[in-house]
Structures are given as structure tokens and as C-alpha cells.
């Protein structure tokens, strides 16, 4: 079975932005796009609206996906688009759909719900459980946001891409995460900014003579370790410009700061088994809530 870029669609602005992003990504990867709409057995807003019966809801859902597919084909010539109507609990069905996809794309808010937090509980639930990459896209995301401004300073979708930013733990680097980030940068002909944070030494560290020199030694050691992790990937992707960013400070805050001009941010999620269940690390959680660019969460062992 050939893989697809799959997008979960409802009528929210976030999911429509996600569909547009997914269409662009499918063209970059040379893959078909699949639009998936999940119909809950008893959709929440149908149950609260006696004038709207379940069959009317199903007709609306079919029209939503077909009209979205037609629009994407018009705006992205050459893109193959298919649609699928599925029934079940939204997060469960989307996790299953992700298993057959190259990557799954979602709006950052709840799919099928109203309101919610900055990142909806459904989207967070899928990110925490899916074992394929999941990309979350915000409502106001536009193609021009991924590109540098033109010479006059105006937004443009034809100028070079902004950097792809990778949040990296050099103590436990994962090939799946590195491969995804380098490949994304290569497809965009963009630079890859590899971001690594290391904790600031405790305050008593600074009370003694020679502490500044020791701090510089620690910093040089961290920079050297980052370069060592990236070296084989530079060789594998020689056309990708790599920007190494080793910073002292909170890993979550450093990543947010280094992602202000990103076209895409790539972070990892360790697949956990056992009684702890699904889990999103605090750095990934912070990225999803505070970074405005699309965020790709790559599950790894």
C-alpha cells in the first residue's frame, strides 16, 4: 500500500489551514493527499441540535470533504487527492489512520469540537499516541509564512524557505528524528538549524576564581558534542546548510526562541510502553503551545 500525506478535516479554520499545509507537503514529497473526516457515532453538536438529524450531518460531512478536495486540486495542480469518511472516536480513528500515512497533519485545536485550549485535547491525544510523524498547524498559517520576505519586505510564497528548526537531545540522539529533519530541510532547499540546550550551572559555581573559564570549557564541550552528532548527517545530506545552535538555558525556552523564523519545527517524542502509557515530554509540549510555525512531532524508540 502506497503511503499518503493524511489530513484530518472538520470545518474549523485550523483544520482548513492544516489541509492547505498538507497539500503543499504532499507535493514536496511527491505523494497523494488523503482527506479524512471522522464522524463520531453521535456527533456532539448534532445531539445538542434537534433540528439537525444524523443523516443531514452525514450529507454535510460528505459535502465538506468533497468541496475541500476540489478546492485543493484547483489550488495545487497535479496533486492527487482522495477522501475518506470514517466513524468512531476521533482520536482513536486518527491514530489508526496515521499508521498508514507518511505523516498525519492536524489543526492545532480540537477536531470536531468547539473552543478548547491553544492545542486541543484531541490533537494532543493523537500526538501522544501516534507512532508516525504528526504535524500540527495553526489557523492563520499561510504558505508565505514559511518563506523569507521578498526584497521589498513583502510576504511571498516564492522566495527561499525559512530554516527548518530541529530540537535535539545530544545525550540520546535518534536517527528517525534526525532523518526527518534533514529530509524536510533538503526538500525545501532550506537551512537546518539544530538546537541543543544545556543547563546553566548552579549559582555557587560562579563564586570562585576561574569559574568563567570553566564555563567556557563546558560550552566548548557541548558545541563539540553537537557537532559530533551532526557530522554523519552532514555527510548524508551534503546540500543542506546546517546551523548549529548550542545554548545554555532552559531547553523549552531555547527552542521557542530559536524557532521565531522557522518554516517548520521538528521535535521528538519517545514511544513509551508499560504502565506509564502515552507521554509528551515538556519540551515538545512547550513547542506545541508556544511556537507559531507548524510543529512536526516525530515518535521514536
Amino acid at each position: 500500500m502506497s503511503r499518503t500525506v493524511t489530513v484530518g478535516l472538520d470545518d474549523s479554520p485550523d483544520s482548513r489551514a492544516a489541509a492547505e499545509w498538507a497539500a503543499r507537503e504532499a507535493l514536496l514529497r511527491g505523494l497523494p493527499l488523503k482527506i479524512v473526516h471522522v464522524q463520531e457515532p453521535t456527533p456532539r453538536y448534532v445531539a445538542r441540535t434537534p433540528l439537525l438529524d444524523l443523516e443531514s450531518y452525514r450529507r454535510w460531512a460528505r459535502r465538506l470533504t468533497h468541496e475541500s478536495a476540489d478546492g485543493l486540486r484547483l489550488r495545487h495542480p497535479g496533486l492527487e487527492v482522495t477522501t475518506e469518511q470514517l466513524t468512531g472516536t476521533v482520536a482513536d480513528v486518527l491514530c489508526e489512520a496515521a499508521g498508514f500515512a507518511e505523516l498525519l497533519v492536524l489543526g492545532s485545536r480540537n477536531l470536531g469540537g468547539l473552543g478548547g485550549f491553544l492545542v486541543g485535547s484531541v490533537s494532543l491525544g493523537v500526538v501522544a499516541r501516534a507512532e508516525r510523524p504528526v504535524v500540527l498547524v495553526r489557523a492563520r498559517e499561510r504558505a508565505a509564512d514559511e518563506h523569507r520576505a521578498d526584497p521589498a519586505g513583502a510576504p511571498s510564497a516564492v522566495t527561499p524557505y525559512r530554516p527548518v528548526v530541529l530540537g535535539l537531545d545530544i545525550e540520546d540522539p535518534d536517527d528517525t528524528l534526525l532523518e526527518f529533519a534533514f529530509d524536510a530541510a533538503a526538500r525545501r532547499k532550506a537551512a537546518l538549524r539544530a538546537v541543543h540546550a544545556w543547563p546553566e550551572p548552579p549559582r555557587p559555581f560562579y563564586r570562585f576564581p576561574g569559574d568563567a573559564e570553566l564555563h567556557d570549557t563546558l560550552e566548548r564541550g557541548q558545541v563539540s558534542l553537537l557537532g559530533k552528532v551532526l557530522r554523519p548527517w552532514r555527510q548524508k545530506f551534503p546540500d543542506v546548510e546546517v546551523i548549529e545552535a548550542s545554548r545554555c538555558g532552559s531547553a523549552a525556552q531555547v527552542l521557542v526562541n530559536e524557532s521565531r523564523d522557522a518554516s517548520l519545527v521538528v521535535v521528538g517524542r519517545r514511544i513509551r510502553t508499560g504502565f506509564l502509557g502515552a507521554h509528551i515530554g515538556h519540551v515538545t509540549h512547550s513547542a506545541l503551545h508556544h511556537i507559531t510555525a507548524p510543529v512536526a512531532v516525530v515518535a521514536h524508540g
Side-chain angles (χ1 to χ4, degrees):
M1 181 182 297
S2 62
R3 288 195 175 273
T4 63
V5 173
T6 297
V7 59
L9 181 72
D10 62 13
D11 62 342
S12 69
D14 300 73
S15 86
R16 292 183 183 277
E20 291 291 341
W21 188 93
R24 299 193 297 271
E25 185 69 14
L27 286 174
L28 276 175
R29 292 173 176 265
L31 293 174
L33 174 68
K34 177 186 284 188
I35 299 173
V36 171
H37 177 79
V38 182
Q39 302 177 17
E40 294 181 286
T42 305
R44 282 165 285 180
Y45 70 84
V46 171
R48 294 198 301 267
T49 311
L51 296 179
L52 183 61
D53 59 49
L54 192 55
E55 185 54 38
S56 297
Y57 168 76
R58 288 170 178 159
R59 288 196 297 270
W60 168 84
R62 286 193 293 270
R63 185 171 66 252
L64 171 72
T65 54
H66 292 158
E67 289 178 353
S68 177
D70 289 342
L72 290 170
R73 292 187 190 102
L74 284 172
R75 291 188 294 277
H76 304 277
L79 178 64
E80 178 186 346
V81 185
T82 60
T83 64
E84 188 171 12
Q85 308 284 328
L86 300 171
T87 302
T89 303
V90 179
D92 292 344
V93 173
L94 289 173
C95 282
E96 184 177 355
F100 298 100
E102 189 74 12
L103 71 159
L104 176 69
V105 186
L106 302 175
S108 62
R109 289 189 184 273
N110 283 347
L111 284 162
L114 301 174
F117 297 101
L118 184 61
V119 179
S121 59
V122 170
S123 298
L124 281 177
V126 175
V127 165
R129 293 163 51 197
E131 297 192 4
R132 297 293 301 167
V134 180
V135 180
L136 294 193
V137 179
R138 303 208 189 281
R140 292 182 294 277
E141 170 68 18
R142 304 171 302 162
D145 297 333
E146 302 169 31
H147 296 258
R148 300 187 184 279
D150 70 10
S156 171
V158 297
T159 53
Y161 277 92
R162 297 177 183 272
V164 172
V165 174
L166 166 64
L168 189 59
D169 178 1
I170 63 172
E171 293 183 0
D172 190 20
D174 183 85
D175 287 351
T176 304
L177 179 66
L178 285 155
E179 177 89 38
F180 185 97
F182 270 86
D183 179 71
R187 292 180 186 277
R188 289 164 171 76
K189 297 181 173 59
L192 176 69
R193 181 181 299 144
V195 179
H196 159 63
W198 50 284
E200 187 169 353
R203 291 198 176 275
F205 177 88
Y206 296 104
R207 295 179 181 174
F208 305 100
D211 285 348
E213 182 180 347
L214 183 56
H215 185 281
D216 290 344
T217 301
L218 289 172
E219 184 175 22
R220 287 193 297 271
Q222 293 293 318
V223 170
S224 176
L225 288 173
L226 177 59
K228 183 177 179 181
V229 169
L230 295 173
R231 191 172 301 123
W233 295 94
R234 286 177 179 269
Q235 295 169 355
K236 187 173 181 179
F237 292 87
D239 294 333
V240 173
E241 176 191 358
V242 179
I243 303 167
E244 299 181 14
S246 179
R247 305 284 186 259
C248 179
S250 158
Q253 189 59 56
V254 167
L255 180 60
V256 171
N257 291 343
E258 292 289 339
S259 300
R260 299 188 190 283
D261 63 341
S263 63
L264 176 69
V265 178
V266 183
V267 292
R269 180 189 72 80
R270 183 168 298 282
I271 299 172
R272 299 180 185 271
T273 58
F275 69 93
L276 291 176
H279 177 72
I280 300 175
H282 76 280
V283 175
T284 295
H285 198 276
S286 179
L288 293 174
H289 280 81
H290 298 295
I291 291 174
T292 57
V295 177
V297 182
V298 180
H300 58 83

